[in-house]
């Protein structure tokens, strides 16, 4: 979900009562003393203190900030205490994301093979952390076979559709999260994870600040009408600055490596936002869920984080391997 969206004011809510119904609660109240046929008095305008102005992002900004801080605090505490607790935290978030995706797909008549995808995804995360890339690839292959076999029990109707949905879910959630496990298991793993988190979050923050203040030119009107080029520029600047600082001060790399990480991260994060917008348009929904006030669903929050994980992991393997 891109944070640089411009607010689009919605329609005012309908009043409960019609003309001549007074307070709209089913009682006529003082209006019953009016002569029959006289015009109803207009409802009093709300006092200024009763008018709530939503944020330019179209969401409850205060709730979004509070939820974001809580999620970030839990991530940092688990990351720098016992590393495996952070892996459990990631697995729980991914599991909730798969549940959200299964629900919205079911509403469109798609039966996601959730059991083999969830079980195989958990194995992939564990093997990536404890055994590395080769074990992850093997677990991915076995899980694909399990999805093909599991769905056979449901008959041939919709088989290709449901299997495709299962493989899409497997690739976009557990597989992407497995690169987080690979980063965590590497030397200096918590610092690598912190760099990935910060550079991705900076894409959201930079895009929101610049997009909400200066956004005028739509970036992809047919996909996400409120995402602007100005917001993308803010995301790029924030990611590059964060990348340089993180690579040089936290990971002891070079400044130009930080620039590369920042550019790659903003490209991947933006692609993640746009891809999820395409999915939601295809499924004809606004949000993937409602579990996070101000954000929507878990998938609305982690889309850019997941897609940047393999990109940042690969670059850090190249830059920090010697």
């Amino acid at each position: 979900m891109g944070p640089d969206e411009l607010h689009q004011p919605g329609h005012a809510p309908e009043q409960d009562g019609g003309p001549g119904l007074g307070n709209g609660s089913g009682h006529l109240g003082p209006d019953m003393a009016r002569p029959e046929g006289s015009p109803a008095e207009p409802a009093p305008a709300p006092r200024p203190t009763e008018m709530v102005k939503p944020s330019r992002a179209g969401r409850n900004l205060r709730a979004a900030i509070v939820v974001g801080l809580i999620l970030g605090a839990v991530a940092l505490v688990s990351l720098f205490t016992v590393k495996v607790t952070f892996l459990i935290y990631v697995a729980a978030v991914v599991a909730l994301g798969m549940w959200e995706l299964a629900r919205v797909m079911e509403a469109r008549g798609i039966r996601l093979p959730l059991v083999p995808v969830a079980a195989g995804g958990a194995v992939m995360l564990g093997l990536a952390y404890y055994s590395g890339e080769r074990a992850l690839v093997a677990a991915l292959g076995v899980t694909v076979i399990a999805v093909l076999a599991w769905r056979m029990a449901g008959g041939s109707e919709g088989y290709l559709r449901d299997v495709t949905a299962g493989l899409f879910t497997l690739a976009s959630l557990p597989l992407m999260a497995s690169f987080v496990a690979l980063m965590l298991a590497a030397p200096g793993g918590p610092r690598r994870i912190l760099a990935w988190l910060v550079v991705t979050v900076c894409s959201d923050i930079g895009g929101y600040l610049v997009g909400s203040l200066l956004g005028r030119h739509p970036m992809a009107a047919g996909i996400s009408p409120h995402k602007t080029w100005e917001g993308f520029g803010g995301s790029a600047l924030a990611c590059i600055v964060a990348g340089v600082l993180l690579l040089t001060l936290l990971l002891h790399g070079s400044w130009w490596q930080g620039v590369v990480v920042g550019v790659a991260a903003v490209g991947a994060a933006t692609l993640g936002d746009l891809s999820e917008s395409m999915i939601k348009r295809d499924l004809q929904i606004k949000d993937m869920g409602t579990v996070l006030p101000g954000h929507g669903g878990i998938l609305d929050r982690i889309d850019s984080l997941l897609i940047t994980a393999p990109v940042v992991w690969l670059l850090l393997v190249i830059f920090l391997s010697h």
Side-chain angles (χ1 to χ4, degrees), residues 5 22 29-30 68 103 111 119 140-141 145 175-177 185 190 199 271 305 314:
E5 296 180 350
R103 288 182 66 226
R111 294 182 294 169
L140 173 62
I145 296 173
L175 180 59
M176 297 295 104
V199 76
L271 179 60
L305 284 167
L314 178 60

Side-chain angles (χ1 to χ4, degrees), residues 125-310:
L125 277 173
L127 288 179
Y129 181 73
Y130 289 107
S131 302
E133 299 91 333
R134 293 184 177 181
L136 168 61
V137 172
L140 173 62
V142 172
T143 305
V144 170
I145 296 173
V147 170
L148 295 173
W150 181 275
R151 179 55 187 81
M152 285 184 178
S156 60
E157 184 178 354
Y159 179 81
L160 180 59
R161 175 200 62 202
D162 297 342
V163 166
T164 302
L167 299 183
F168 166 78
T169 302
L170 182 68
S172 60
L173 291 174
L175 180 59
M176 297 295 104
S178 295
F179 289 96
V180 179
L182 291 174
M183 276 191 284
L184 187 64
R191 289 182 285 114
R192 295 184 185 219
I193 293 291
L194 183 60
W196 160 66
L197 287 172
V198 171
V199 76
T200 307
V201 170
C202 280
S203 175
D204 286 351
I205 294 175
Y208 174 78
L209 292 178
V210 176
S212 61
L213 293 174
L214 305 176
R216 296 294 182 272
H217 300 88
M219 181 180 180
I223 302 174
S224 181
H226 311 311
K227 184 175 285 293
T228 64
W229 282 109
E230 291 83 359
F232 177 74
S235 294
L237 179 61
C239 281
I240 291 172
V241 171
V244 170
L245 293 176
L246 291 165
L247 262 291
T248 55
L249 301 179
L250 186 65
L251 297 175
H252 310 296
S254 302
W255 68 267
W256 65 267
Q257 294 172 340
V259 173
V260 174
V261 169
V263 170
V266 72
T270 303
L271 179 60
D273 288 339
L274 294 176
S275 297
E276 192 185 357
S277 294
M278 288 284 285
I279 294 169
K280 290 190 288 189
R281 281 179 173 271
D282 188 26
L283 296 175
Q284 299 178 10
I285 56 175
K286 180 180 183 294
D287 291 320
M288 289 292 187
T290 58
V291 297
L292 298 179
H295 292 283
I298 284 288
L299 290 175
D300 297 300
R301 183 64 277 160
I302 65 173
D303 52 355
S304 56
L305 284 167
L306 286 176
I307 204 167
T308 58

